[in-house]
Amino acid sequence: MSKFWSPKVRELTPYVPGEQPRERLIKLNTNENPYPPAPGVEAALREFPVDHLRRYPDPESRALREAIAREVGVEPEQVFVGNGSDEVLALAFQAFFCHDRPLEMPDITYSFYPVYCRLYGVMRHALPLDEQWRVDLEAFAKESGGVVFANPNAPTGHGHERQAIATLLSRVTDSVVLIDEAYADFGGESAIPLVSDHPNLLVTGTFSKSRSLAGLRLGYAVGSRELIEGLERVKDSFNSYPIDSLASAVGIAALADHDHFEACREAVITTRERTRGRLEELGFRVLPSRTNFLLVHHPDIDAAQLFVGLRERGILVRHFNTDALRDYLRISIGTEDEMDSLVEALEPLCT
């Protein structure tokens, strides 16, 4: 540790992203989309007027917010945009959860949430999943410093229906309920239609997964105007221009191609369910998933051993070395050919 670091920095344990390998591997470890972005994205990149880059972008990202608003059925004033949903989430933790009451979240969910809590000094109350590894909505207290969870949940894959979220919101009314919908397009049911009736609901989303734009870094939040204004106040306190002009043009182009979006989404879902069956035939327990990944466990073979064995065979998956997930592998859904290679590599490891 450096003597120049502040005490807060010394105490941090940063989030560790999935490995981005330099060698050529079948990459099933970071939940990226196996299919390319919409054709309009390439056109937007090719036709973008380079001269525009000498000027600052629109600080309100109005055109992009309008495109997102049309897509999800809200007003532009109810939309906030940022550099990936991780940035949007970080701003939300600053805006809504830095106070004296603990923030409630599942004990197994997106591992960036505890990192934000440590960074911003947010008290955290972690609640266990239920016996079926689902987020237990009834466990969240009526009064707390807020609620945050992913729906569908990561890395477990289960997703609650909108009505279950509405029931939660009818009970938790005096603090912000933040629902991270990074994976909702792969079989989840979005809570965005509930925003109009629940001023404390904030829903975040990303272009990284279903829109195949993980390399662009583009995310958003949808909520009441008062919540969006809170996010804007935090954002404008350190960066008035979060979305660059090129990213905005690409995001708008991605939203415009509904046919490509639906085709890629359905392909991932179909491959996911086919892979589930094949893994179960090999003896794996596979948790139900509404995402573009599967969380799997083999009762007879160590998960770390499987992870190493797959890597030796040119396939990279995710192994979380934590007490709760040590026996599990998270496998991103790739193309049909990539998943065939996965199963073929697992066969000798499971016999």
Side-chain angles (χ1 to χ4, degrees), residues 100-140:
D100 296 334
R101 295 182 296 173
L103 172 64
E104 296 197 330
M105 66 183 68
D107 60 351
I108 300 177
T109 189
Y110 186 28
S111 55
F112 225 140
Y113 304 156
V115 174
Y116 296 139
C117 287
R118 291 190 294 269
L119 178 61
Y120 300 126
V122 175
M123 290 186 293
R124 178 172 72 101
H125 183 204
L127 303 169
L129 302 180
D130 68 15
E131 66 280 359
Q132 299 182 50
W133 277 48
R134 301 174 303 190
V135 175
D136 187 355
L137 299 183
E138 295 182 359
F140 292 122

Side-chain angles (χ1 to χ4, degrees), residues 276-286 296-301 306 346 350-351:
R276 172 198 304 282
R278 299 184 71 188
L279 292 175
E280 289 174 342
E281 290 174 358
L282 291 176
F284 284 92
R285 177 199 177 200
V286 184
V296 307
H297 161 66
H298 199 291
D300 301 321
I301 307 171
L306 288 171
L346 284 170
C350 295
T351 57

Side-chain angles (χ1 to χ4, degrees), residues 30-31 52 54 72 80 83 87 91 108 115 117 121 126 135 168 182 206-207 215 226 235 241 250 267 301 304 306:
T30 51
N31 300 341
H52 284 192
R54 66 185 179 86
V72 302
F80 178 86
N83 288 292
E87 180 183 75
L91 296 174
I108 300 177
V115 174
C117 287
V135 175
L168 170 67
T206 179
F207 284 65
E226 61 182 304
K235 182 265 293 183
Y241 301 98
V250 169
I301 307 171
L306 288 171

Side-chain angles (χ1 to χ4, degrees), residues 165-272:
I165 303 299
T167 300
L168 170 67
L169 291 165
S170 69
R171 185 165 53 83
V172 181
T173 59
D174 294 331
S175 58
V176 171
V177 175
L178 196 166
I179 300 179
D180 180 354
E181 293 190 352
Y183 299 100
D185 290 331
F186 299 108
E189 188 172 22
S190 177
I192 288 177
L194 302 175
V195 164
S196 60
D197 295 324
H198 299 279
N200 64 322
L201 171 61
L202 188 72
V203 180
T204 61
T206 179
F207 284 65
S208 296
K209 311 301 183 183
S210 59
R211 303 286 175 178
S212 304
L213 291 174
L216 188 72
R217 311 311 301 132
L218 195 58
Y220 61 91
V222 178
S224 63
R225 181 57 203 158
E226 61 182 304
L227 293 187
I228 300 304
E229 185 178 359
L231 290 172
E232 291 170 347
R233 287 174 66 88
V234 175
K235 182 265 293 183
D236 288 341
S237 295
F238 76 94
N239 184 1
S240 297
Y241 301 98
I243 304 301
D244 64 75
S245 301
L246 184 58
S248 180
V250 169
I252 293 169
L255 290 171
D257 196 332
H258 293 94
D259 290 342
H260 181 84
F261 167 75
E262 288 294 337
C264 292
R265 188 178 72 89
E266 290 298 331
V268 169
I269 293 171
T270 299
T271 304
R272 180 189 71 205

